[in-house]
Amino acid sequence: MRKYAVEIQGLYKRFGSQQVLDGIDLKVPEGSVLALLGPNGAGKTTLVNIMSTLVTPDAGTLLINGYDVSRERQKVQQSISLTGQFAAVDEVLTAEENLRMICRLSGLTGAEARIRSTELLAYFDLASARSKRAGTFSGGMKRRLDLAISLVVPKPVLFLDEPTTGLDTRSRRALWDMILQLKSQGITIVLTTQYLEEADQLADRIAVLDGGHIVAEGSPEELKSRVGGEVLELRNAEDEVIHRIPTSGSIGDVANTLQELMRQLPTETRVGIHRPNMDEVFIALTEKKMEEIV
Amino acid sequence: MIVKPVHTAKKTSLAVTQSVFIGRSLRHSLRNADAMLMAILLPVLLMLLFTYVFGGAIDSSGDYVNYVVPGIILLCAGFGSSSVAVDVAQDMTNGIIDRFRTMPIRSVSVITGHVVASLARNLLATGVVLAVALLVGFKPTAGILDWVFAVALIALFILAFTWLFAAIGMVAGSPAAAGSYGFALLFLPYLSSAFVKTDTMPEWLQWIASNQPITPVIESLRGLLMGASIREFIGWAIGWCLLILLVSLLWGMWSFRRRAGRR
């Protein structure tokens, strides 16, 4: 039987008159990456806050690493690391002081803290900035320090709330690489994101959250196939789409289809294979809400 | 690899947690020279102002400095304590508080760290103000025991108001908002016997001035330093400080828990 790092059943949370989470069921297998995808205000951060013991749910059960969040809070806290939406670094302290502080708070001795900090600074490419105040760091550096702090004592489950929001493309890709490396070392990662590409690149499974419900869940491929499979797209000389023909994408299937079309269509017709991307999936899954708003 | 646990984490003791947070707050204090300078400079300037500008008009005997210094010391201590509201508000509005809260530690220690640093900072500032006071002619008559009691009273006063402002920092929406509450402690000493005797005030104001918490503390401090009787005031002084401390502690702890996950 496969073990789950996160098991959520019937989770509800209300803030005032707003039902932020309206019956969430979710399972995250150990060692996998789950992306929580959703528009602003969908409840992503609230869900992460509940999973990381910051907020107590109104109803529902939630097991992290097998421990019940409401009854075994300490055990849960020993199993998790949270990197919140805003870089959780002390801006007045230097990078090294930040790391050492968390090392000491995690039960390492002074000497151990020094060794571990040096190790993490090197790994996250921050060695040259070790004695600079974190407040002077760029967004990408702050995030790297943030992630380094989360790994002071590696925990089996890592929560990342919008880890790459506000980063430039290069820093974002560097962070993606690091997240994938952590996954390859067996850490379960739950991340929230508004970037569809990010979910597509990193996640084994994606849960789309909208209006407090999980409206879809599956691998990136499964979600894409829900919107429809691959199509052959034919465009005329004016670059307008004139035909969309479903295809399996295999060379035989494409050749047969094209041979038939050759007889009917002018030779300047252009051909491309279109594969639904995450944007289309996302819009298809959350558009009902948009309609309601309009 | 980086994930391989180098050291298995032991449970962090409260003493270690506490000392790490105190160290953190002391570092913050040392790196925020502006706040420190303000907390010392303002009372010193007020003291010079009252001694040399208003002093002659209030009391032409030239002895006014001995009357006003205890008030200035408390003004310095109170105003200095209020800066803890900014420190706390800064932490409460930064992501770092969520990290502390999700660790298996007593996360409220982050606040006590600020409180201890504030106590150290303000005792130092009080020392500087006292030194300047001696330079401008303050001549206390206190013996060693009086001094010990005086310092203990000042420390208790700082502690009470630091906790009060730590609680204010927790409920304030932003560090800037938290900072602006400090004015209350610049203002409150004027409505007491700090600068003029309360019997020169209109009757309704006299009532306020004699019954507000700062007056007995000032009178006790004045008594201790200048050799007057404190019997009438010391009970009220300690009582007020303990009451403020207790209420602020409860309010602070409650707010800290309530604010979890909300920024």
Side-chain angles (χ1 to χ4, degrees):
Chain A
M1 201 184 84
R2 195 152 190 201
K3 268 197 76 185
Y4 292 101
V6 178
E7 284 184 80
I8 304 178
Q9 242 172 27
L11 198 70
Y12 290 84
K13 181 70 192 179
R14 170 187 287 274
F15 282 127
S17 65
Q18 207 199 345
Q19 192 71 43
V20 183
L21 296 178
D22 198 7
I24 301 282
D25 298 294
L26 193 64
K27 282 181 177 169
V28 186
E30 268 183 3
S32 69
V33 178
L34 173 86
L36 287 169
L37 193 61
N40 280 329
K44 302 186 296 277
T45 296
T46 305
L47 185 53
V48 168
N49 283 350
I50 290 176
M51 287 191 277
S52 56
T53 74
L54 281 176
V55 173
T56 22
D58 297 336
T61 56
L62 169 48
L63 302 181
I64 303 282
N65 212 24
Y67 300 116
D68 190 309
V69 168
S70 47
R71 285 199 302 267
E72 296 160 295
R73 203 181 149 87
Q74 279 261 330
K75 294 268 192 212
V76 170
Q77 290 180 334
Q78 280 160 9
S79 315
I80 62 163
S81 222
L82 167 72
T83 300
Q85 204 170 95
F86 306 95
V89 300
D90 188 324
E91 308 215 327
V92 179
L93 301 184
T94 68
E96 189 173 13
E97 287 168 341
N98 263 291
L99 279 164
R100 282 212 221 167
M101 172 174 71
I102 302 294
C103 283
R104 296 287 284 129
L105 290 177
S106 305
L108 272 56
T109 64
E112 288 168 342
R114 200 159 36 240
I115 297 167
R116 184 62 177 161
S117 303
T118 308
E119 214 169 69
L120 285 162
L121 285 166
Y123 183 79
F124 284 93
D125 199 16
L126 290 165
S128 58
R130 66 190 308 156
S131 31
K132 287 204 185 98
R133 288 194 200 183
T136 66
F137 283 13
S138 69
M141 286 166 82
K142 259 187 216 167
R143 272 301 182 186
R144 291 211 302 276
L145 178 59
D146 209 5
L147 208 53
I149 292 174
S150 298
L151 294 172
V152 154
V153 174
K155 308 283 182 71
V157 185
L158 179 61
F159 296 111
L160 302 170
D161 196 1
E162 304 206 350
T164 64
T165 298
L167 296 192
D168 60 45
T169 315
R170 186 195 295 263
S171 314
R172 176 172 301 157
R173 287 188 186 275
L175 208 69
W176 286 356
D177 282 344
M178 283 172 184
I179 291 171
L180 289 174
Q181 278 186 43
L182 296 179
K183 181 201 157 191
S184 74
Q185 294 174 49
I187 292 188
T188 309
I189 298 167
V190 177
L191 60 91
T192 72
T193 182
Q194 298 190 44
Y195 301 110
L196 308 151
E197 194 196 353
E198 187 160 292
D200 201 5
Q201 291 273 332
L202 297 178
D204 299 307
R205 296 184 72 75
I206 297 175
V208 183
L209 204 59
D210 194 24
H213 300 276
I214 290 181
V215 294
E217 199 205 330
S219 69
E221 296 313 314
E222 281 166 10
L223 290 186
K224 284 180 206 166
S225 72
R226 282 179 67 162
V227 185
E230 291 175 42
V231 289
L232 270 182
E233 224 173 50
L234 301 172
R235 289 167 187 269
N236 62 15
E238 280 78 47
D239 207 30
E240 292 156 351
V241 178
I242 47 173
H243 282 293
R244 276 176 196 273
I245 302 148
T247 172
S248 73
S250 73
I251 191 165
D253 186 46
V254 173
N256 284 340
T257 316
L258 287 180
Q259 226 148 39
E260 264 173 49
L261 291 170
M262 287 264 281
R263 296 187 208 115
Q264 307 163 19
L265 295 170
T267 48
E268 69 266 24
T269 306
R270 291 171 46 216
V271 181
I273 290 185
H274 180 79
R275 186 178 277 188
N277 60 26
M278 284 306 297
D279 286 282
E280 288 166 299
V281 175
F282 185 70
I283 289 165
L285 290 170
T286 57
E287 78 189 344
K288 203 173 140 241
K289 186 151 184 221
M290 288 305 289
E291 278 165 17
E292 281 166 16
I293 292 165
V294 175
Chain B
M1 255 323 239
I2 203 71
V3 166
K4 187 193 80 206
V6 219
H7 312 286
T8 35
K10 288 135 249 153
K11 194 153 167 13
T12 320
S13 71
L14 187 58
V16 170
T17 307
Q18 199 59 78
S19 69
V20 168
F21 281 125
I22 291 172
R24 166 177 185 258
S25 298
L26 286 175
R27 278 209 171 92
H28 276 231
S29 303
L30 289 176
R31 287 173 198 179
N32 189 357
D34 303 348
M36 188 75 193
L37 198 66
M38 198 58 196
I40 295 176
L41 212 57
L42 200 76
V44 167
L45 288 177
L46 274 173
M47 178 162 56
L48 297 178
L49 192 70
F50 272 94
T51 311
Y52 293 120
V53 182
F54 303 136
I58 298 169
D59 175 3
S60 50
S61 71
D63 203 30
Y64 184 64
V65 66
N66 285 327
Y67 181 83
V68 83
V69 164
I72 297 283
I73 287 173
L74 280 200
L75 187 126
C76 166
F79 181 63
S81 307
S82 74
S83 72
V84 82
V86 181
D87 302 332
V88 170
Q90 232 145 29
D91 272 354
M92 298 301 282
T93 50
N94 183 293
I96 199 155
I97 196 73
D98 289 345
R99 186 185 294 288
F100 294 146
R101 279 185 208 275
T102 54
M103 292 177 77
I105 52 171
R106 274 277 300 260
S107 49
V108 79
S109 304
V110 70
I111 306 298
T112 36
H114 283 310
V115 169
V116 173
S118 163
L119 190 61
R121 205 164 59 211
N122 288 304
L123 281 175
L124 182 72
T126 306
V128 174
V129 169
L130 205 57
V132 176
L134 293 172
L135 282 178
V136 299
F138 177 51
K139 286 198 181 60
T141 60
I144 290 191
L145 211 57
D146 296 328
W147 274 109
V148 172
F149 279 127
V151 171
L153 183 62
I154 294 170
L156 180 65
F157 179 82
I158 294 173
L159 194 65
F161 278 90
T162 296
W163 264 110
L164 177 63
F165 276 87
I168 289 174
M170 271 180 253
V171 295
S174 68
S180 59
Y181 289 103
F183 89 95
L185 276 184
L186 263 184
F187 186 66
L188 214 52
Y190 288 94
L191 299 181
S192 76
S193 61
F195 299 103
V196 293
K197 293 199 168 68
T198 51
D199 53 24
T200 61
M201 299 175 188
E203 217 164 293
W204 59 273
L205 193 57
Q206 232 177 78
W207 187 86
I208 294 176
S210 325
N211 291 293
Q212 66 128 313
I214 291 189
T215 299
V217 183
I218 286 180
E219 288 304 328
S220 301
L221 194 59
R222 192 172 280 144
L224 285 166
L225 295 181
M226 301 309 299
S229 163
I230 57 167
R231 184 165 307 182
E232 193 187 331
F233 307 105
I234 191 73
W236 282 105
I238 294 174
W240 268 117
C241 286
L242 289 179
L243 181 70
I244 293 171
L245 183 61
L246 185 71
V247 170
S248 309
L249 265 170
L250 293 175
W251 184 28
M253 297 292 179
W254 180 75
S255 313
F256 186 78
R257 233 166 283 140
R258 205 179 59 96
R259 282 279 304 252
R262 283 193 232 174
R263 263 180 284 120

